[in-house]
Structure formats: structure tokens, C-alpha cells
């Protein structure tokens, strides 16, 4: 077991991360690791987890958290209890912090022994352990206090590492890194002096002197001080061309500095192919392409060939061999170009690439072009290997190519990708089957030298020298523990020989090779093989597969184990996957048996009913519809609590998307729209807006296929929800108004009330306040008529929001207080924070600034507990506005700048627009009208793009006032 605190707090076991729930549990783990093998007093633990807001039963709550932590560990005894507190036993290599200390100590020892190369090597290793800001995911107060000390340790190691590299003459390599450090930390003299020395040693004396000028100007402007004596002496030495500056092993004395941002080095290549054999000519070609044309900004290579010929194996093996040539790591995307799964879209592939580069999900733009621009910027200064596997066409690949980079792109495809050469310079590596010698060598490597050479040669020929067929044939020999000659004898029988002879058609050859494994299986395993291939997602869980089979979970698990042993499937964490070609073969068999429709129906019924069971925990106040499609005979998966339900929904998310879209286009429209409607709130909570819009549009087409007007009204409301999350207010209103018409036509009062409410909300968001108030009153009456209190409460809350915008603050508070009390009673924390914003705005309007501060402060606390950056940014902005009204400009500016940083990281543009307007007002009050114009102008551009009337009016008013002030000053 491994503990990681130098970045996101994690526990790793058996090569995978152990799920950790909540910031308190991460804080507890972090504190115990920081004080490893020492007793941590109860009070210290309580303070770390709750600060000054300790619960009344603090010891009991602490005990519960420790009990939960013990469940995560392999041995409960790793946490010991004493009268004074608790301690965690951690070995010298079981935490990244301990390894970091050991590496730094080794570096210090090497430096003391004047072994600078080893010192530099150990410091590089120590710094590579950092995966981001220390203690990420813990409570903010804890991260600030404890993380600061760890960051100082990292800074000290970084300073020593640069010093060692300088002493070893690596000055040219350090210039880029030091420029970045001086840019991010301009007041750190240590980095400036090291950069000056590196530039001077690189023959760039003028650049070194320019750095001193920049440092002096910065210190004067920011601190009113001159540079230190040491930096001035270095400046004089450069002016006089002091020869001592070229002396290596002569360290520049360190001063305090701030570390650079953590460097993420992705290593995404799949595992190297076991006993890779042959392909020497192709490996040499790829190596030559790596070093050819060093001045060229981007090198693109494509491995083209038939299915099963080993394109991915070659790309992966070469990538592992040449990993040292790509110091910034490797990215890998399977584009599913030749797969029964839908090909990966440019937007989906770009999201995966950006996540691999360390970009948080919430910072990734919605628009494909914006994602592509962010991706090109992120890789522009890196040297990486980017593998785009299984591409269908050149069009699928083009958006994924860097604009200008020292990186290398390696594409695999069954297509020749000739059209890609029209727009890019591409070196095509054509891959054919193995030569007879290579094929025999591969079989000997997979089997043993004791096999009969003649039989191995014949077996290779019968497999058509196709790598995938060769490996499957070897698996048969291993599985049956027979000599290769026996397998050759069986291959000679029946139609298999004729199939294997057709080497020009790799699908035939692969199909025959798969048949050798398939035919040895018992009937249940064969059925499982066929049925598993019909799942349209990336993988299938054992529970879903059992439902498709109509068998028990244990029986299904045994059948899957047989498939794994036969190399026809992979199983990990109770999920089953197949290679694309194996899945294709299995689906052909399933079609022959006529099993497709029945398996899909059982799967969709299981998934829909299980999803509803999970959603009852995730959305307990929601009036979830009961699916009309039949449920599974064996019952749905059961959940113990909200945490397990949410975990299932998260793990099945991609399959949910695949099932909804697949059912819509394959004759199961009812399953499609009902599953989409039931899971809509989960898409909202997890902020998967792209996928949410995709599945709701598919569901709308599906429900219209069956002519279900009531179902269409339901889907229109959820589709509208998804659209408004990307600021498409006009389309939102169109959806909701049509939903009202359909609800009236079908006499569904509950649907009528819900759609009417959303119409009112859409009018409110687009500025039609009077009409919004009338429409909301109608929705409230409808909710009251059907005795739907949660719905009526939503209308009450909306009335409060509208009245705030109308300036009727006292009337607004009456409604908002009712809504707030309900949400606090029901524990709806997200809604509580949202309501508190409007309560605070009403109090501001009434002049009750102290109450408003309390409202916004509580909303901020909730936002941070929920780890919701959108809510947090809004709360900070509101707090800043109140501080400004009370004349505390520095505090107002601090809060709003913090809000601005967060607002640029969340999806949608509305929050950023609000914060920019807030900063504009702050600078205007302070009298900095230039800054005010800047922020109002940027807010105006966003408001016009998203067509938000309130922020548009605020931006125009603020900008006009700022321009008027400029004219007065002129």
C-alpha cells in the first residue's frame, strides 16, 4: 500500500487508486501520513478536520472517520490507538513524502562527496514525486497551513537541483525553465541570478544584463528597493566579463524562491506487448523518422495496414523503446475508427487529450474549436509522443494534430490516410503480415524452443503469419498443454484450413483463429462470449452481463473466467472488455444465433430499472418516473446508500450514454427516452453537459418515433435544462413552451405545472420579469392543485428571485425564507447556497448589510463543502460587493479577484460575466476608471454572446459611466 500527499491525497493498492470520499477523509489521511509513526493527539485531529467548527460529538465523529479509513487499509492494525490519540504505521518507502526525504538526503550526501551528477539525479527524482500542490483535496485551511511547509521543502529541493545542473554545465537546458520561474516569481532573486549565469555561460551576455535591468525595475516598482548586494555583484561580474563565471562546480548562492507549477508527465501508452518479435525494418523506419528533419516543427507518422496485423502493437512497442526521447510524456487515444462502437468525435478525443495533459474537467471549454485551441497551446512547447490509435479517416485525425510542436504524432489506421498528406506532411509506414521467419520466431518466443521446428513453421503458415492469429494459436497450445503438432493436425481439419489460407482478408484469418478458442469452450461460456459482445459500451459489468444472459452473478463470473483463460476477454474490477476484432467475431456469431434483440431488451430493462433505483438515493425529493419497460427477472442491483448509488452511476456513465443513443437508433425508442429522462439529474450533478445534450437529443428523436406526446414533453424539459447550462436561453424557452402545449394536450397536470414553471424560469433568465411573474403564478397554482409541495416551493423560490430583480425586496424575502427553511430541513445544500445568494441580495437592497454578509458567508462555506467552484465564485463575488458598499476596498478587491480566478475555471460564461461586472464596479468606486472600463468591456462581450439581459445592462451601464468619467478627467 502506498500513501501519496505530494499532490492530490491518494492511497494506492495493487496498482490502482483506492476511492477516498470527501475532503475530511483526505485530510485525516494526510495528517496521519505527515505525522507517520507518531501519535497524533485527538485535539490536533479534530482541529484539522473541523477547525473552529467542531461538532458537539467531535470524538464520535472522529472515530467514525477513522473507522472508515481503516476499511480502506489492507490491515486495520496499520492505525494504532492510544490514550493520547492515533498513529499510522508507514514504512520508509510507503509514502511519497518519505521517499522524497530519502531522495533529498541521498542528494545531500552525494553533494557532500562532491558527486554532483548523482546529486542532480537524486534531486530530479525527488521533484518528480510531486504531482501538483501538496495535500490537494484536503480542507483548505489544512492545505494552507501544512501545505506551505511542504512547498518550502519542494522549493529548497528545486533550488538545489538547478544549482547542481548549473554546476554540471547544463545552462542551455535551464534557460527556458528559469525564464518561466522568473516570470511567475519575479521577486525571487535566486531564480534571477541563476538565469543570469545560465544566459552568460550560453554566450548571451546582453540577455543576462537585460535580466538584471528587469529585476531592478521590478524591485523598485513593487518594493521600492534596490536588488541585493549579491545580485549587484553578479551584474558587475557580467559587465566586466569575469572569467570565474565560467567555472563549473561553483554554485551561485541560493536565496528564497517559489517553486514552479507542478509538471505533469503523462504516461498513457498501453502496456508493452509481451515477447514482441520481428518488425525490425519498421522499427528502424520509425527511428529514422524520429531523428530526421530536426528543424521541422512537427513530425507525423502513420502506420497503415489491415486489421489484426499488429499496428497498435508496433506503435506501443516503439513508444516504450523510445520513451526517453519524449521527456514530456506520451498521450494515447483509441479513436474506435473500426469498431462497432461509434467513432470517437473530435470533441471527445480532445477532452481526453486535455485531461491527459492535466487540465481539470471544469476548465475544458464546451466548443470543439476552443478545445482544439487549448490543446495546441498546451503541447506547443512540449516534446511528447501522441499516439492516435485506430483512426477511421483523415478528417477524424486533423483536429487532434498540434499546430507547431517538437512532439511526434503516431497514427494507426486501416485506412491509408492519403488525404491527410494534402494538408500535412505525413510519413506512411505500410504494415503487412509478418515474414515466415518473424512468425516462427514469435511462436517460439510464445511457446518454447522444445517445440518441433517443422510443426512451428506449418502452424505459422496456417495462421497466415497474422500476429493476432499467431498469438491465439499459441494460447491454444498453452491451454491444452499439447505439442504444436497436435494443433496443426486439428487445423488441417474442416473449413478452418481454407479460411486461414485467405491471408488477403485479415477478417477471415482472425475469425478462424478466434474459432479455435471459441470451439473449445463449454456452451455457457460460448453464450457469454456472444452476448457480451452485444453491449454497445466500452465494457460491460458482471451485473449487466448477468442480466443479458438471464443467469446469476456467480454463474456469469465463472463463464467470464473461462473466456479470460481462452484469451477471448479481459476482466478487471468486475468489468469485462474485448478487443475490437474479437468483439466483431463474437457479434457475427450472436447474429447467426438470433440473440441480438432479446439480449438488448434484457440489458436495457436492467439498466433502466437499476438506474432508477440509484436515482432514488441521488435525487430523493424528485418524483422519478417508473419505467414502463419490463424489469429484469433477477431484480435490479441494490444500493446501501447514496454513496454506493452515485458510484454505480459514475462507473456506468459512459455505458448509459451508449445505451441511450444505441437504443434510439436500433428500434428500442421507449428504453432510450425513459433511461434518458430518469438519469437526467445525474448528468446535471456531474456537469457532463456535452453528453447530456447528446443523449437528450437522441431521446427526443426516440420518443417522437413512438408518438408519445407525454414522454416528448418530459424529454423537452430535460433537454431544455441541458441547453441552458451552455447559455442557450432561446432554445431552452422553445423546448419548455412546446412541453406546455404537449402537457395540456395530454391533460397531464403535473407535467403542465413543471413545464409552465420552466417557461417562467426562462422568461426570468431572459429579462421578461412581468411575464415571468405571471407564468410562475400559473405554475404555482397548478402545483397547488395537484398537491405537489416541492414543485410549489420551487415556484415560491422563483417568485422570490423575480421580486429581487424587480426591487421588491421585502416581498422577495417572504418567499425566499420559506424556500430556504425547506432546503435546510431537507439537507439540499446546493439549493440552500443558491437561495442564500438571493436572500443576501434582498438584504443588500434593504440596506441590511450585516445580514447580507452572513448570508453570503454561509453560502461560501456550503460551496466549499460541496467543492462547487461555480457556487464558490458567486459567493466570493457577492461578499466583495458588500465589502465595497461598506468602504473596505482592499478586502472587496481581494474577494473578487479570487472569484475571478475560479470563474475562469468553470463551464458556461455567465459566472465569469457576473464577476467581471463586479470587478468593474469595484474599480469604478475606487476611481480606477481604466481598469473599470477593461472589466466592463470584457463583461459586455460575454453578455452579448450569451444574451443575458441583466449582465448586459450592468456592463453597458458601468461602461458608459466609466467612459463618462474619462471624458470628465480629460
Amino acid at each position: 500500500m502506498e500513501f501519496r500527499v505530494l499532490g492530490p491525497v491518494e492511497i494506492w493498492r495493487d496498482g490502482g487508486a483506492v476511492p477516498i470520499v470527501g475532503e475530511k477523509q483526505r485530510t485525516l489521511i494526510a495528517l496521519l501520513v505527515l505525522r507517520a509513526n507518531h501519535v497524533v493527539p485527538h485535539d490536533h485531529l479534530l482541529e484539522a478536520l473541523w477547525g473552529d467548527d467542531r461538532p458537539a460529538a467531535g470524538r464520535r465523529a472522529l472515530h467514525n472517520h477513522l473507522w472508515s479509513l481503516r476499511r480502506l487499509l489492507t490491515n486495520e492494525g496499520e492505525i494504532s490507538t492510544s490514550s493520547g490519540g492515533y498513529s499510522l504505521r508507514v514504512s520508509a518507502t510507503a509514502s511519497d513524502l518519505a521517499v522524497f526525504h530519502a531522495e533529498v538526503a541521498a542528494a545531500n550526501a552525494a553533494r557532500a562527496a562532491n558527486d554532483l551528477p548523482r546529486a542532480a539525479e537524486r534531486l530530479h527524482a525527488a521533484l518528480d514525486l510531486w504531482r501538483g500542490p501538496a495535500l490537494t483535496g484536503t480542507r483548505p485551511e489544512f492545505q494552507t497551513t501544512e501545505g506551505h511547509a511542504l512547498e518550502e521543502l519542494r522549493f529548497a529541493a528545486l533550488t538545489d537541483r538547478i544549482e547542481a545542473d548549473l554546476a554540471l554545465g547544463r545552462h542551455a537546458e535551464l534557460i527556458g525553465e528559469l525564464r518561466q520561474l522568473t516570470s511567475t516569481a519575479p521577486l525571487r532573486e535566486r531564480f534571477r541570478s541563476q538565469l543570469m549565469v545560465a544566459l552568460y555561460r550560453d554566450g548571451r551576455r546582453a540577455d543576462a544584463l537585460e535580466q538584471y535591468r528587469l529585476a531592478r525595475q521590478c524591485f523598485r516598482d513593487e518594493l521600492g528597493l534596490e536588488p541585493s548586494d549579491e545580485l549587484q555583484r553578479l551584474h558587475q561580474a557580467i559587465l566586466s566579463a569575469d572569467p570565474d563565471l565560467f567555472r563549473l562546480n561553483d554554485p551561485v548562492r541560493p536565496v528564497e524562491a517559489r517553486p514552479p507549477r507542478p509538471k505533469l508527465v503523462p504516461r498513457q501508452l498501453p502496456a508493452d506487448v509481451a515477447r514482441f518479435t520481428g518488425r525490425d525494418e519498421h522499427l528502424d523506419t520509425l527511428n529514422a523518422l524520429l531523428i530526421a528533419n530536426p528543424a521541422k516543427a512537427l513530425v507525423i507518422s502513420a502506420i497503415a495496414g489491415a486489421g489484426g496485423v499488429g499496428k497498435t502493437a508496433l506503435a506501443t512497442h516503439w513508444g516504450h523503446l523510445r520513451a526517453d526521447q519524449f521527456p514530456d510524456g506520451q498521450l494515447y487515444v483509441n479513436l474506435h475508427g473500426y469498431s462497432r462502437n461509434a467513432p470517437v468525435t473530435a470533441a471527445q478525443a480532445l477532452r481526453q487529450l486535455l485531461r491527459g495533459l492535466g487540465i481539470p474537467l471544469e476548465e475544458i471549454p464546451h466548443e470543439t474549436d476552443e478545445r482544439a485551441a487549448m490543446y495546441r497551446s498546451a503541447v506547443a512547447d512540449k516534446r511528447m509522443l501522441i499516439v492516435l490509435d485506430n483512426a477511421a479517416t483523415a478528417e477524424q485525425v486533423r483536429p487532434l494534430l498540434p499546430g507547431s510542436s517538437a512532439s511526434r504524432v503516431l497514427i494507426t489506421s486501416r485506412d491509408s490516410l492519403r488525404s491527410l498528406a494534402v494538408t500535412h506532411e505525413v510519413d506512411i509506414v505500410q504494415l503487412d503480415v509478418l515474414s515466415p521467419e518473424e512468425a516462427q520466431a514469435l511462436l517460439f518466443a510464445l511457446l518454447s524452443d522444445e517445440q518441433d521446428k517443422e510443426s512451428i513453421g506449418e502452424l505459422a503458415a496456417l495462421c497466415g503469419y497474422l500476429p493476432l492469429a499467431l498469438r491465439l494459436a499459441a494460447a491454444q497450445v498453452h491451454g491444452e498443454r499439447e505439442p504444436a503438432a497436435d494443433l496443426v493436425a486439428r487445423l488441417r481439419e474442416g473449413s478452418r484450413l481454407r479460411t486461414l489460407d485467405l491471408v488477403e482478408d485479415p477478417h477471415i484469418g482472425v475469425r478462424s483463429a478466434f474459432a479455435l478458442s471459441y470451439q473449445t469452450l463449454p456452451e455457457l461460456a460460448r453464450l457469454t462470449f456472444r452476448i457480451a459482445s452485444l453491449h454497445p459500451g466500452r465494457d460491460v459489468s458482471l451485473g449487466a452481463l448477468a442480466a443479458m444472459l438471464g443467469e446469476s452473478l456467480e454463474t456469469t463470473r465463472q463463464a467470464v473466467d473461462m473466456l479470460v483463460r481462452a484469451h477471448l476477454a479481459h476482466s478487471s474490477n468486475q468489468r469485462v472488455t474485448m478487443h475490437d476484432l474479437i468483439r466483431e467475431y463474437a457479434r457475427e456469431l450472436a447474429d447467426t444465433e438470433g440473440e441480438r434483440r432479446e439480449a438488448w431488451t434484457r440489458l436495457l430493462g436492467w439498466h433502466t430499472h437499476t438506474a432508477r433505483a440509484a436515482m432514488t438515493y441521488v435525487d430523493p425529493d424528485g418524483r422519478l418516473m417508473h419505467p414502463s419497460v419490463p424489469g429484469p427477472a433477477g431484480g435490479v442491483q441494490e444500493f446501501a446508500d447514496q454513496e454506493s448509488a452515485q458510484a454505480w452511476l459514475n462507473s456506468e456513465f459512459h455505458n448509459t450514454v451508449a445505451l441511450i443513443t444505441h437504443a434510439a437508433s436500433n428500434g428500442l425508442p421507449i428504453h432510450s427516452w425513459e433511461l434518458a429522462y430518469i438519469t437526467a439529474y445525474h448528468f446535471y450533478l456531474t456537469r457532463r453537459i456535452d453528453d447530456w445534450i447528446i443523449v437528450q437529443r437522441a431521446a427526443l428523436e426516440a420518443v417522437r418515433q413512438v408518438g408519445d406526446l407525454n414522454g416528448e414533453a418530459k424529454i423537452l424539459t430535460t433537454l431544455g435544462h441541458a441547453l441552458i447550462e451552455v447559455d442557450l436561453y432561446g432554445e431552452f424557452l422553445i423546448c419548455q413552451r412546446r412541453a406546455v402545449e404537449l402537457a395540456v394536450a395530454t391533460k397531464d397536470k403535473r407535467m403542465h405545472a413543471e413545464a409552465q414553471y420552466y417557461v417562467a424560469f426562462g422568461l426570468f433568465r431572459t429579462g421578461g420579469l412581468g411575464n415571468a411573474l405571471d407564468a410562475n403564478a400559473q405554475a404555482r397554482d397548478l402545483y397547488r392543485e395537484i398537491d405537489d409541495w416541492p414543485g410549489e416551493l420551487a415556484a415560491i423560490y422563483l417568485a422570490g428571485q423575480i421580486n429581487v430583480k424587480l426591487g421588491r425586496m421585502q416581498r422577495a424575502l417572504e418567499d425566499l425564507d420559506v424556500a430556504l427553511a425547506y432546503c435546510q430541513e431537507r439537507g439540499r445544500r446546493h439549493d440552500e447556497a443558491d437561495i442564500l445568494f438571493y436572500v443576501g441580495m434582498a438584504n443588500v437592497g434593504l440596506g441590511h448589510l450585516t445580514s447580507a454578509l452572513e448570508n453570503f458567508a454561509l453560502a461560501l462555506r456550503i460551496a466549499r463543502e460541496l467543492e462547487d467552484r461555480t457556487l464558490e465564485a458567486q459567493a466570493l463575488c457577492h461578499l466583495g460587493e458588500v465589502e465595497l458598499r461598506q468602504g473596505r476596498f482592499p478586502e472587496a478587491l481581494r474577494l473578487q479577484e479570487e472569484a475571478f480566478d475560479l470563474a475562469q475555471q468553470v463551464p458556461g460564461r455567465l459566472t465569469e460575466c457576473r464577476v467581471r461586472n463586479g470587478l468593474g464596479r469595484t474599480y469604478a468606486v475606487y476611481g480606477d476608471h481604466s481598469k473599470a472600463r477593461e472589466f466592463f468591456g470584457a463583461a459586455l462581450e460575454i453578455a452579448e454572446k450569451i444574451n443575458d439581459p441583466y449582465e448586459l445592462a450592468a456592463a453597458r451601464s458601468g461602461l458608459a459611466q466609466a467612459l463618462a468619467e474619462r471624458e470628465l478627467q480629460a
Side-chain angles (χ1 to χ4, degrees):
M1 177 167 288
E2 178 186 358
F3 300 93
R4 300 182 178 183
V5 296
L6 303 181
V9 173
E10 296 174 343
I11 298 176
W12 280 66
R13 181 172 59 232
D14 298 331
V18 178
I20 303 174
V21 179
E23 67 178 17
K24 286 188 172 61
Q25 192 170 76
R26 286 190 289 271
T27 304
L28 178 59
I29 293 166
L31 180 56
L32 291 172
V33 172
L34 291 177
R35 309 291 190 272
N37 305 312
H38 292 81
V39 174
V40 183
H42 296 100
D43 286 344
H44 290 184
L45 293 166
L46 290 168
E47 181 179 359
L49 266 62
W50 287 282
D52 296 329
D53 297 322
R54 299 183 188 181
R59 287 291 183 93
R60 183 182 303 169
L62 175 60
H63 177 75
N64 290 338
H65 281 291
L66 284 159
W67 179 80
S68 298
L69 177 55
R70 281 190 168 112
R71 293 179 62 192
L72 299 179
L73 306 181
T74 55
N75 179 4
E76 287 191 2
E78 288 179 345
I79 296 181
S80 59
T81 308
S82 68
S83 60
Y86 297 87
S87 66
L88 175 67
R89 290 204 305 272
V90 180
S91 69
T93 60
S95 80
D96 55 0
L97 179 59
V99 176
F100 173 83
H101 284 304
E103 294 285 7
V104 171
N108 291 336
R111 190 165 46 191
N114 203 29
D115 187 354
L116 283 179
R118 177 164 175 77
E121 178 186 351
R122 298 274 48 88
L123 288 167
H124 276 280
L127 291 165
D128 284 344
L129 294 168
W130 291 76
R131 297 164 290 111
L135 310 178
T136 297
T138 62
R139 292 185 68 248
E141 297 84 355
F142 179 84
Q143 188 175 355
T144 298
T145 55
E146 297 288 345
H148 179 74
L150 293 178
E151 290 297 322
E152 289 299 319
L153 289 176
R154 178 166 65 163
F155 163 68
L158 176 64
T159 304
D160 289 344
R161 195 225 80 206
I162 294 174
E163 197 62 57
D165 285 340
L166 270 176
L168 291 168
R170 298 168 181 168
H171 39 270
E173 303 168 21
L174 290 170
I175 289 172
E177 179 183 8
L178 285 167
R179 282 193 184 278
Q180 181 182 1
L181 291 172
T182 55
S183 175
T184 56
L187 298 180
R188 300 288 190 180
E189 282 195 347
R190 186 61 181 149
F191 292 143
R192 191 77 66 174
S193 64
Q194 289 174 327
L195 177 56
M196 290 168 64
V197 170
L199 288 167
Y200 183 77
R201 289 179 179 176
D202 198 44
R204 299 161 66 177
R205 182 183 181 193
D207 287 346
L209 294 172
E210 173 65 9
Q211 286 300 318
Y212 178 81
R213 188 192 68 78
L214 292 173
R216 188 181 187 196
Q217 179 180 335
C218 179
F219 294 154
R220 284 181 170 181
D221 292 346
E222 296 295 330
L223 306 175
L225 299 174
E226 289 290 330
S228 68
D229 292 342
E230 181 182 350
L231 199 62
Q232 292 183 48
R233 285 194 297 271
L234 177 59
H235 176 236
Q236 289 299 322
I238 293 173
L239 283 172
S240 60
D242 188 343
D244 286 344
L245 289 175
F246 282 97
R247 288 173 52 196
L248 302 184
N249 300 316
D250 186 12
V252 183
R253 297 185 179 276
V255 298
E256 276 197 331
R258 196 171 84 187
R261 294 183 63 183
K263 180 181 180 182
L264 176 72
V265 181
R267 304 290 184 188
Q268 294 187 343
L269 284 181
D272 200 356
V273 179
R275 297 178 178 86
F276 186 94
T277 305
R279 304 296 192 196
D280 292 339
E281 179 182 349
H282 298 94
L283 290 169
D284 290 341
T285 300
L286 291 173
N287 288 336
L289 293 173
L290 179 64
I291 60 176
N293 301 319
K296 188 164 59 176
L298 179 65
V299 174
I300 306 171
S301 307
I303 302 174
V309 80
K311 301 180 296 296
T312 301
L314 175 61
T316 302
H317 182 65
W318 181 79
H320 283 286
L321 287 176
R322 308 299 293 183
D324 61 326
Q325 298 294 312
F326 304 101
D328 296 311
Q330 314 110 6
L331 296 174
Y332 173 89
V333 180
N334 186 344
L335 297 174
H336 290 285
Y338 294 86
S339 167
R340 290 295 181 95
N341 294 331
V344 174
T345 66
Q348 292 168 333
L350 286 166
R351 178 172 60 187
Q352 183 175 337
L353 288 165
L354 289 168
R355 294 291 290 120
L357 289 162
I359 308 297
L361 183 63
E362 61 270 17
E363 295 182 19
I364 297 176
H366 172 70
E367 297 294 331
T368 302
D369 289 344
E370 293 179 9
R371 288 182 179 181
M374 176 181 282
Y375 165 64
R376 290 192 295 268
S377 298
V379 300
D381 59 347
K382 298 183 184 299
R383 184 175 177 84
M384 309 183 75
L385 174 63
I386 302 166
V387 178
L388 305 176
D389 194 18
N390 199 7
T393 64
E395 298 303 323
Q396 187 185 26
V397 169
R398 282 193 182 97
L400 313 180
L401 300 177
S404 175
S405 175
S407 296
R408 300 298 191 256
V409 179
L410 190 55
I411 308 164
T412 73
S413 177
R414 298 183 197 179
D415 189 89
S416 64
L417 300 180
R418 287 180 299 177
S419 62
L420 188 62
V422 175
T423 54
H424 295 79
E425 185 177 349
V426 185
D427 297 296
I428 305 294
V429 179
Q430 293 289 351
L431 200 61
D432 202 348
V433 296
L434 296 172
S435 69
E437 295 77 13
E438 289 176 328
Q440 292 177 45
L442 177 58
L443 285 173
F444 276 119
L446 293 171
L447 298 172
S448 71
D449 292 337
E450 297 176 0
Q451 296 288 340
D452 176 57
K453 185 175 182 179
E454 183 177 348
S455 297
I456 289 292
E458 189 171 357
L459 179 58
L462 289 170
C463 290
Y465 309 119
L466 193 67
L468 194 53
L470 292 165
R471 289 179 176 274
L472 286 169
Q476 283 291 320
V477 174
H478 267 308
E480 296 296 332
R481 299 182 179 178
E482 62 183 359
D486 289 358
L487 178 57
V488 168
R490 289 193 282 120
L491 279 169
R492 289 173 177 156
E493 300 173 5
S495 63
R496 301 179 204 145
L497 291 173
R498 292 192 299 274
T499 301
L500 283 172
D501 283 340
L502 298 175
V503 294
E504 72 275 9
D505 186 349
H507 291 287
I508 301 297
V510 172
R511 185 183 298 113
S512 179
F514 293 157
L516 299 176
S517 296
Y518 174 75
Q519 292 168 3
T520 64
L521 297 172
E523 181 51 38
L524 178 59
R526 293 187 190 185
L527 175 63
T528 304
F529 178 61
R530 299 193 300 269
I531 296 300
S533 71
L534 296 174
H535 195 291
R538 300 175 181 175
D539 57 15
V540 55
S541 69
L542 282 179
L545 185 53
M548 295 174 76
L549 288 166
E551 297 285 351
S552 70
L553 196 64
E554 184 55 34
T555 300
T556 303
R557 182 180 290 109
Q558 293 173 4
V560 168
D561 288 342
M562 297 177 196
L563 297 178
V564 172
R565 288 196 298 270
H567 302 282
L568 290 174
H570 300 281
S571 179
S572 177
N573 298 323
Q574 298 196 355
R575 305 192 75 82
V576 181
T577 59
M578 288 180 173
H579 186 280
D580 288 346
L581 295 175
I582 296 177
R583 183 192 297 267
E584 193 171 313
Y585 167 69
R587 281 178 175 169
E588 289 179 0
L589 295 174
D591 285 343
T592 301
E593 299 293 335
E595 296 161 330
R596 184 181 294 263
R597 179 82 180 186
E598 185 179 356
W600 280 349
T601 303
R602 286 197 297 257
L603 168 64
L604 282 159
W606 176 85
H607 198 99
T608 303
H609 283 268
T610 303
R612 187 194 184 279
M615 290 302 298
T616 58
Y617 286 93
V618 174
D619 187 18
D621 288 337
R623 295 183 180 273
L624 294 169
M625 69 174 290
H626 289 275
S628 66
V629 298
V636 301
Q637 182 168 331
E638 297 181 355
F639 303 99
D641 48 30
Q642 181 177 350
E643 181 180 338
S644 61
Q646 186 72 57
W648 183 86
L649 288 165
N650 290 337
S651 67
E652 290 291 332
F653 177 79
H654 291 292
N655 284 342
T656 299
V657 173
L659 286 170
I660 292 170
T661 55
H662 179 85
S665 58
N666 285 274
L668 293 167
I670 298 176
H671 293 82
S672 175
W673 81 258
E674 289 189 350
L675 178 57
Y677 186 69
I678 287 168
T679 57
Y681 189 58
H682 174 66
F683 282 80
Y684 166 73
L685 286 179
T686 54
R687 313 304 294 166
R688 313 276 186 125
I689 308 303
D690 293 356
D691 295 304
W692 192 11
I693 293 174
I694 289 171
V695 300
Q696 293 302 319
R697 290 197 190 280
L700 184 60
E701 292 182 11
V703 74
R704 285 172 173 169
Q705 289 176 29
V706 295
D708 186 339
L709 298 182
N710 183 262
E712 183 178 349
K714 288 179 167 62
I715 292 299
L716 282 167
T717 61
T718 52
L719 173 58
H721 265 187
L723 293 170
I724 205 170
E725 290 298 321
V726 290
D727 308 319
L728 297 176
Y729 301 121
E731 291 187 47
F732 169 84
L733 268 175
I734 291 172
C735 289
Q736 306 305 343
R737 282 172 170 151
R738 177 57 180 160
V740 169
E741 295 173 1
L742 293 172
V744 171
T746 57
K747 299 180 181 180
D748 185 338
K749 288 187 177 180
R750 187 174 305 282
M751 193 71 251
H752 185 187
E754 184 175 344
Q756 182 67 35
Y757 165 77
Y758 288 130
V759 168
F761 182 78
L763 291 169
F764 163 65
R765 286 300 318 137
T766 53
L769 296 177
N771 292 334
L773 206 57
D774 292 340
N776 189 55
Q778 295 175 44
R780 184 174 179 178
D781 290 342
L782 287 167
Y783 279 129
R784 187 178 296 145
E785 186 177 338
I786 60 176
D787 195 25
D788 185 341
W789 171 238
E792 184 179 350
L793 190 80
I796 291 172
Y797 171 38
L798 182 55
Q801 293 174 284
I802 296 170
N803 280 313
V804 167
K805 294 295 185 184
L806 289 170
R808 304 169 183 173
M809 303 307 182
Q810 193 59 51
R811 179 72 185 91
L813 279 178
E814 294 173 8
D815 290 329
L816 293 171
D817 287 343
V818 174
L820 183 61
Y822 177 82
C823 290
Q824 289 174 333
E825 178 185 347
R826 298 290 294 172
R828 299 182 71 96
R829 303 288 279 164
H830 189 284
D831 293 333
E832 180 185 351
D834 201 50
I835 295 170
L836 282 167
F837 292 149
Y838 281 90
V839 173
M841 284 188 276
N843 278 320
V844 169
L846 293 169
H848 303 158
L849 298 184
T850 301
S851 296
L853 276 176
E854 293 173 357
N855 301 145
F856 296 139
L858 178 55
L860 178 61
R861 186 185 310 164
I862 294 171
R864 285 174 171 168
E865 288 176 3
L866 297 176
E867 298 182 357
D868 189 314
R869 294 187 175 186
T870 299
L871 288 179
E872 185 178 354
Q874 293 177 18
L876 289 165
C877 185
H878 283 304
L879 281 169
E881 297 258 5
V882 178
E883 293 288 355
L884 184 65
R885 284 174 176 267
Q886 294 184 326
R888 293 191 285 267
F889 171 78
E891 181 63 12
L893 185 59
R894 184 190 68 80
L895 290 166
Q896 290 184 328
E897 285 180 339
E898 187 177 351
F900 184 58
D901 289 340
L902 289 170
Q904 293 177 299
Q905 302 172 22
V906 300
R909 304 295 304 277
L910 181 57
T911 301
E912 181 185 348
C913 188
R914 287 172 175 167
V915 175
R916 284 185 179 277
N917 272 328
L919 276 164
R921 287 188 289 271
T922 299
Y923 278 113
V925 171
Y926 184 65
D928 189 339
H929 300 293
S930 175
K931 276 283 190 181
R933 288 194 301 274
E934 176 186 335
F935 279 101
F936 282 132
L940 181 61
E941 289 182 11
I942 297 172
E944 287 175 339
K945 183 175 182 180
I946 66 176
N947 199 27
D948 184 88
Y950 309 111
E951 300 308 318
L952 191 62
R956 284 173 175 168
S957 174
L959 191 58
Q961 185 176 352
L963 290 171
E965 291 291 341
R966 183 179 68 177
E967 292 177 2
L968 287 174
Q969 291 175 358

